[in-house]
């Protein structure tokens, strides 16, 4: 088995832990994509055998996969800029965290918390919701939903991880942790796996994440965790899955058009801002949670 | 609460795939889990030098009585400072890949000033015209020192200094050596470990050190990989 693994993973001479993390995280991410395609194949076959398969579900799945194309291009550009920027800034930071295994485990834990905070902000700040709403706009919950991203998502992620850099963590540690947490997300977007016993207490699971994608009143803005669900339990944003959620946005987005999928929230915010009275309302529409309205508008309704 | 109806076989297959994925990913993570030594304690050059002065090698092969600063005085001030002390006793196993190191080689005498001989070798390699002898290679930040062909009678050893680089046709003084894939123990110094192997099952055949260096060959980290007998550990 060791021999097989030896040839499967990148056969390079890894002289330091940062080299290792670079290759390992990229390997992990590549392999995750391979497994994700396998999962999706099983899910679609299951749809066909249980007569759940429909044009609606197929095109929704296809639409999710297509979002990867613009996402990929911005990811390449943003990630390149982030790598250059992070390494440049790191040189100027006078304090440095230890570059060793414990250091990486610490940054992984902190990156998971960062993911929680970032995810919370993606839902609570409409500017960020412009991007993240793309991920939530599917009415189908399968592995393809995990691929459903906005082309602006990479920008948000690179920004939110800056505090870890300022704490003195090595950029390669931060990128590797970010990639591992992102890779973890691929297996929790499905309806094939039920509850997982004691794992549900600590880990983010398919059940917890189905809740996160629910548009039901009791499920909205719940379960933001990345790998661990403890952050939600600690900060009161946890909800247990008591019924199968209704997936998608509170106001469903039914289009399968890739351009509509990417920009439907942009149209809505533009419409709101156009009607805004003064800078305060404009800022409210941009920085307050989705659905926020000025008082005078609420009274009218 | 119940999930939508699924084909039981496909569900089992799906869950098996998930379990396999986690096992596979764990294996990927474990396969090359590295040493903890980015050797940050030596990253700062002055700290590195002080640490050497504070703890001259105890029993390191051939250099036990030599002062580093004396050796340095005889050399260009851009010369590297080679760490020869052991800082860790915990055996750490690594599976290292097969690759080729190309550079220059000398037979060194373990009975005389080894530090000066090694530094001479570094100087020669630093001055090597890589454009001519290693065409197509830009200077790498990783330099390898490969120790081989130990002769007990003459107390000599062949040391090759070079980059990870393979070339079809060698010219002039340039030589290549292929490092073998297999299990290695990680230490700081090959010679120091050979001299004091404790209970390690060393092969004493072909061991090497990896140095991370800057453009002037100032060393920021040093580690040694010593091949061990199959079945050990």
């Amino acid at each position: 088995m060791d021999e097989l693994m030896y040839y499967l993973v990148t056969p390079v001479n890894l002289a330091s832990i940062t080299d290792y993390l670079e290759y390992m995280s990229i390997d992990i991410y590549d392999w995750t994509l391979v497994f994700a395609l396998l999962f999706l194949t099983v899910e679609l076959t299951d749809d066909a055998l249980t007569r759940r398969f429909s044009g609606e579900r197929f095109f929704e799945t296809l639409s999710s996969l297509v979002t990867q194309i613009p996402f990929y291009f911005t990811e390449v550009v943003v990630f390149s800029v982030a790598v250059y920027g992070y390494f440049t800034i790191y040189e100027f930071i006078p304090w440095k965290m230890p570059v060793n295994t414990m250091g990486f485990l610490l940054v992984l834990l902190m990156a998971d918390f960062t993911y929680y905070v970032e995810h919370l902000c993606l839902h609570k700040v409409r500017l960020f919701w412009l991007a993240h709403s793309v991920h939530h706009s599917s009415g189908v919950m399968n592995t393809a939903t995990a691929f459903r991203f906005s082309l602006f998502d990479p920008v948000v992620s690179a920004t939110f991880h800056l505090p870890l850099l300022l704490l003195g963590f090595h950029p390669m540690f931060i990128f590797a942790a970010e990639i591992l947490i992102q890779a973890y997300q691929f297996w929790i977007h499905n309806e094939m796996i039920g509850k997982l016993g004691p794992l549900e207490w600590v880990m983010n699971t398919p059940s917890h994440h189905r809740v996160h994608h629910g548009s039901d009143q009791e499920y909205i803005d719940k379960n933001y965790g990345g790998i661990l669900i403890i952050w939600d339990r600690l900060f009161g944003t946890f909800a247990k899955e008591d019924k199968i959620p209704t997936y998608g946005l509170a106001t469903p987005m039914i289009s399968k058009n890739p351009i509509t999928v990417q920009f439907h929230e942009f149209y809505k915010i533009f419409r709101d801002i156009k009607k805004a009275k003064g800078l305060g309302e404009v800022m409210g529409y941009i920085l307050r949670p989705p659905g926020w309205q000025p008082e005078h508008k609420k009274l009218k309704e | 609460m119940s999930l939508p109806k699924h084909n039981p076989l496909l569900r089992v297959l799906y869950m098996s795939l998930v379990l396999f994925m986690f096992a596979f990913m764990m294996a990927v993570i474990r396969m090359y889990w590295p040493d903890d030594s980015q050797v940050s304690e030596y990253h700062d050059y002055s700290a590195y030098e002080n640490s050497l002065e504070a703890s001259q090698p105890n029993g390191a092969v051939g250099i036990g009585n030599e002062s580093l600063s004396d050796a340095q005085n005889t050399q260009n001030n851009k010369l590297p400072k080679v760490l020869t002390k052991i800082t860790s006793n915990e055996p750490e196993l690594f599976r290292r890949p097969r690759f080729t190191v190309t550079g220059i080689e000398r037979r060194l005498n373990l009975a005389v000033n080894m530090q000066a001989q090694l530094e001479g070798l570094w100087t020669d390699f630093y001055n090597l015209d890589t454009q001519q002898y290693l065409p197509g290679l830009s200077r790498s930040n990783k330099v390898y020192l490969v120790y081989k062909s130990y002769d007990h009678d003459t107390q000599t050893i062949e040391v090759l200094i070079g980059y990870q680089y393979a070339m079809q046709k060698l010219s002039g003084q340039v030589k290549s050596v292929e490092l073998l894939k297999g299990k290695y123990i990680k230490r700081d110094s090959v010679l120091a470990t050979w001299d004091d192997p404790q209970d390690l099952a060393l092969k004493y055949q072909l061991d090497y050190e990896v140095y991370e260096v800057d453009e002037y060959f100032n060393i920021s980290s040093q580690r040694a990989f010593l091949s061990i007998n199959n079945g050990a550990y």
Side-chain angles (χ1 to χ4, degrees), chain A residues 2-3 5-20 24 27-28 31-32 35 38-39 42-43 45-46 49-50 52 99-101 104 143 184 187 190-194 210 241-244, chain B residues 1-8 10-11 13-15 17-18 20-22 24-40 95-99 142 144 164 181 208 210 212 221 223 225:
Chain A
D2 272 9
E3 290 300 304
M5 288 297 302
Y6 179 83
Y7 287 105
L8 287 177
V9 299
T10 316
V12 292
N13 180 38
L14 304 170
S16 67
I17 190 168
T18 48
D19 277 3
Y20 163 78
M24 182 274 287
D27 265 3
I28 290 274
W31 281 109
T32 306
F35 280 104
L38 279 174
F39 294 165
V42 176
E43 286 171 300
T45 312
D46 180 71
L49 291 178
T50 54
R52 255 184 122 198
V99 182
N100 57 26
T101 311
F104 180 67
T143 305
Y184 184 88
W187 85 282
N190 69 75
E191 286 187 310
M192 300 288 279
I193 297 175
R210 282 194 291 271
E241 186 184 35
D242 292 319
K243 62 168 190 180
I244 289 292
Chain B
M1 189 212 82
S2 62
L3 291 170
K5 191 181 158 198
H6 294 295
N7 180 293
L10 286 177
R11 202 162 168 217
L13 173 66
Y14 191 94
M15 289 200 251
L17 273 175
V18 169
F20 177 72
M21 179 186 77
F22 275 105
F24 183 86
M25 295 304 186
M26 284 298 137
V28 171
I29 289 170
R30 280 193 56 209
M31 181 53 59
Y32 287 119
W33 191 254
D35 54 275
D36 259 2
S37 52
Q38 180 74 354
V39 200
S40 49
R95 182 171 289 276
R96 303 288 291 176
R98 181 177 58 209
F99 62 95
K142 290 194 183 88
Y144 293 81
Q164 181 180 342
K181 184 184 81 173
Y208 60 98
V210 189
E212 290 190 19
S221 81
R223 73 207 69 208
F225 293 96

Side-chain angles (χ1 to χ4, degrees), chain A residues 155-192:
Chain A
V155 184
V156 183
S157 192
T159 313
F160 271 87
H161 286 79
L162 269 172
L164 295 179
L165 182 68
L166 299 179
L167 281 172
F169 285 110
H170 194 285
M172 193 46 68
F173 275 28
I174 299 170
F175 293 132
E178 203 180 332
I179 289 172
L180 287 182
I181 294 167
Q182 200 58 52
Y184 184 88
Q185 306 309 307
F186 283 110
W187 85 282
I188 57 176
H189 290 80
N190 69 75
E191 286 187 310
M192 300 288 279

Side-chain angles (χ1 to χ4, degrees), chain B residues 119-136:
Chain B
E119 290 181 356
L121 188 60
W122 275 89
T123 308
D124 291 347
F125 186 58
Y126 182 80
N127 293 328
L128 181 73
D129 185 349
T130 48
Q131 294 282 334
Q132 183 185 346
Y133 293 107
L134 307 172

Side-chain angles (χ1 to χ4, degrees), chain A residues 237-297:
Chain A
T237 51
F238 175 74
K240 197 168 67 140
E241 186 184 35
D242 292 319
K243 62 168 190 180
I244 289 292
T246 307
Y247 305 111
L249 301 172
T251 308
M253 202 283 302
I254 51 170
S255 174
K256 312 290 179 278
N257 181 328
I259 296 170
T260 311
V261 168
Q262 283 288 338
F263 297 108
H264 67 282
E265 277 295 323
F266 283 79
Y267 166 73
K268 285 162 80 175
I269 198 172
F270 179 70
R271 193 184 56 194
D272 286 340
I273 288 174
K274 233 170 80 175
K275 290 180 192 162
K277 291 175 182 167
L279 185 63
E281 284 188 14
V282 171
M283 296 312 286
Y285 280 122
I286 293 173
L287 298 177
R288 285 177 182 270
W292 175 85
Q293 288 186 330
E295 285 303 317
H296 66 86
K297 214 170 169 191

